């Protein structure tokens, strides 16, 4: 069994990552049924979603600063995090609508995800280092589909007992952790195992090239999650102009966000011939241009603007795995996991003010709120330019 898994490590890690990150938006997918039964509001959804993001940020910072991501085997951390994440996610069934316990459980879910997502990236690099950009593209593509899935579930599972999909996510996380535990750590990164200085997890920040790549990633993250948050609102505006019903919103939102998975995979294929930086620059440029032009084109026919949203969804995530591949190639080999974790932590930290600003000002600015996202791509491209062009990865 183990030998069979190790013959094709990338599909195993990608599948385990999809299963593990199903915990991230598990309550979002059942929200309509949960809210109807428990009397919760959209404000409560925002509070609980913020709890997961905050837990993830604190968790990634912790494993980065302490070096835990490189002190122990990535597969063991992934498996333990999946087990604990499955338990706290399942515990939400008994705590829904009971603050602050529900908040604490979602926060704990975010902490566990910090042991899944960054460690999944480290395992991909450890097993398939030659084409890290293409391999990580599959990993981020799965995360993108996981992000889109709640919108599909909103449209398809209204009326289903909300406990069942939530518990199913816990079962999937257990399966993902089990797969990774059997697979084990890859052969292409050094095994530390002993104590390391706390500063080791931040060592990559002293490398100018890593800082330049991280700056590009931070600009990308400022735009990404805010766009995903705005997607149902932007789609709803165009459907209203068409005179169509709101029932199409979750389906189109799933499609606009989910198409980003194709952008990741397509960008990964291009990275094998063009290099990761070539892909990252062009994807960030494309999404930035759409971000700038979308409000100006707001008077065009709704169908054309929906098509533009698909192009935005395709490009807005395609650079993410390439930034991770570039960062992994630049970071010290003995602290790759910690370096990726700290980059993730800062990047996800930037999503919070971006989401707060755009969602809070939507009612006043409408489509013009997209201009608040433009600084992300602009500063990201500026950071990459300062770092200089390097040989293709």
């Amino acid at each position: 069994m183990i030998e069979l898994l190790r013959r094709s490590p990338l599909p195993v890690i990608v599948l385990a990552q999809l299963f593990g990150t199903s915990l991230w938006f598990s309550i979002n997918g059942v929200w309509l049924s949960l809210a109807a039964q428990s009397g919760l509001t959209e404000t409560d959804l925002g509070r609980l979603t913020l709890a997961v993001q905050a837990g993830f940020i604190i968790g990634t910072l912790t494993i980065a600063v302490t070096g835990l991501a490189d002190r122990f085997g990535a597969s063991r951390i992934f498996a333990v995090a999946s087990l604990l994440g499955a338990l706290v996610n399942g515990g939400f069934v008994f705590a829904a609508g009971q603050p602050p316990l529900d908040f604490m459980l979602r926060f704990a879910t975010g902490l566990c995800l910090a042991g899944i997502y960054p460690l999944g990236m480290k395992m991909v690099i450890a097993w398939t280092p030659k084409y890290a950009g293409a391999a990580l593209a599959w990993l981020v593509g799965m995360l993108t589909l996981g992000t889109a899935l709640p919108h599909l579930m909103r449209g398809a599972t209204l009326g289903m007992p909300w406990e069942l999909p939530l518990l199913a996510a816990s079962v999937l996380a257990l399966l993902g952790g089990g797969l990774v535990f059997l697979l084990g750590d890859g052969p292409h990164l050094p095994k530390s195992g002993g104590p390391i200085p706390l500063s080791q997890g931040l060592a990559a920040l002293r490398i100018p090239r890593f800082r330049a790549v991280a700056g590009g990633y931070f600009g990308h993250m400022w735009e990404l999650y805010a766009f995903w948050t705005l997607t149902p609102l932007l789609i709803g505006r165009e459907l209203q102009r068409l005179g169509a019903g709101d029932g199409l919103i979750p389906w189109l939102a799933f499609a606009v966000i989910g198409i980003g998975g194709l952008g990741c995979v397509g960008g990964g294929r291009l990275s094998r011939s063009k290099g990761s930086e070539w892909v990252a620059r062009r994807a960030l440029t494309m999404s930035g241009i759409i971000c700038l032009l979308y409000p100006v084109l707001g008077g065009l026919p709704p169908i054309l603007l929906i098509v533009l949203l698909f192009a935005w969804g395709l490009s807005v995530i395609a650079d993410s795995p390439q930034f991770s591949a570039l960062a992994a190639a630049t970071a010290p080999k003995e602290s790759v996991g910690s370096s990726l974790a700290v980059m993730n932590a800062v990047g996800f930290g930037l999503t919070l003010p971006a989401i707060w600003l755009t969602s809070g000002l939507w009612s006043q600015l409408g489509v013009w709120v997209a201009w608040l996202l433009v600084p992300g791509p602009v500063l990201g491209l500026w950071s990459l330019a300062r770092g200089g062009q390097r040989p293709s990865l």
Side-chain angles (χ1 to χ4, degrees):
M1 175 66 174
I2 295 177
E3 288 302 318
L4 182 63
L5 293 177
R6 290 180 177 176
R7 288 176 192 170
S8 304
L10 181 57
V12 174
I13 299 170
V14 165
L15 188 62
Q17 184 85 337
L18 174 62
F19 287 171
T21 53
S22 68
L23 301 174
W24 210 314
F25 299 99
S26 57
I27 68 165
N28 301 62
V30 298
W31 185 252
L32 293 181
S33 300
L34 172 59
Q37 181 175 321
S38 305
L40 298 174
T41 66
E42 292 295 329
T43 301
D44 294 311
L45 176 61
R47 171 178 61 88
L48 295 173
T49 302
L50 180 62
V52 180
Q53 297 291 90
F56 180 82
I57 293 164
I58 292 175
T60 49
L61 278 176
T62 299
I63 64 175
V65 173
T66 62
L68 287 174
D70 299 292
R71 187 178 299 178
F72 301 102
S75 61
R76 284 185 287 168
I77 297 176
F78 191 110
V80 171
S82 297
L83 171 62
L84 296 177
L87 292 175
V88 295
N89 181 72
F92 185 85
V93 169
F94 306 100
Q98 299 180 39
L101 182 57
D102 57 355
F103 183 93
M104 293 171 60
L105 287 173
R106 294 309 291 168
F107 179 84
T109 302
L111 288 176
C112 294
L113 285 164
I116 295 174
Y117 181 46
L119 276 298
M121 288 193 291
K122 180 181 178 181
M123 290 190 66
V124 164
I125 295 161
W127 279 101
T128 58
K130 186 175 181 182
Y131 297 112
L136 287 172
W138 282 97
L139 203 70
V140 179
M142 291 302 101
L143 177 65
T144 305
L145 286 178
T147 302
L149 193 59
H151 297 286
L152 179 65
M153 294 180 66
R154 278 183 177 235
T157 64
L158 186 60
M160 176 185 291
W162 63 267
E163 295 91 346
L164 296 181
L166 199 71
L167 293 174
S170 290
V171 173
L172 289 176
L174 289 174
L175 289 174
L179 285 172
V180 162
F181 183 77
L182 291 174
L183 179 66
D185 297 321
H188 298 292
L189 286 178
K191 302 181 185 299
S192 47
I196 59 177
L198 295 180
S199 60
Q200 186 73 44
L202 301 174
L205 295 177
R206 296 194 290 268
I207 302 173
R209 176 61 177 163
F210 181 88
R211 291 200 301 269
V213 171
Y217 175 78
F218 298 154
H220 147 78
M221 288 296 285
W222 176 268
E223 178 193 12
L224 176 63
Y225 274 81
F227 168 69
W228 281 349
T229 301
L230 288 174
T231 295
L233 300 176
L234 293 168
I235 289 172
R237 174 185 182 266
E238 305 313 323
L239 290 178
Q240 186 177 35
R241 293 173 65 209
L242 281 172
D246 291 344
L248 288 174
I249 292 177
W251 298 97
L252 285 174
F254 168 77
V256 167
I257 297 173
I259 199 173
L262 294 179
C264 288
V265 175
R269 290 179 67 88
L270 279 173
S271 73
R272 300 181 70 155
S273 58
K274 298 290 189 179
S276 289
E277 185 162 345
W278 188 94
V279 174
R281 285 178 183 272
R282 280 150 184 80
L284 194 57
T285 299
M286 179 177 173
S287 66
I289 290 173
I290 296 174
C291 199
L292 182 65
L293 292 181
Y294 193 91
V296 179
L297 302 175
L300 289 178
I303 295 297
L304 292 180
L305 288 176
I306 290 175
V307 170
L308 192 58
L309 285 177
F310 275 96
W312 199 350
L314 186 76
S315 60
V316 75
I317 185 65
D319 48 358
S320 189
Q322 308 312 318
F323 281 125
S324 296
L326 290 166
T330 310
K333 286 293 184 183
E334 65 276 9
S335 60
V336 169
S338 297
S339 302
L340 291 175
V342 75
M343 192 175 81
N344 284 164
V346 177
F348 275 86
L350 288 170
T351 68
L352 300 182
I355 291 171
W356 178 75
L357 277 173
T358 52
S359 59
L361 293 175
W362 168 259
S363 59
Q364 288 82 25
L365 300 179
V367 292
W368 294 96
V369 80
W371 275 9
L372 296 175
L373 306 184
V374 173
V378 170
L379 294 176
L381 290 168
W382 173 77
S383 180
L384 280 178
R386 284 195 65 194
Q389 187 79 26
R390 294 294 185 271
S392 296
L393 180 64

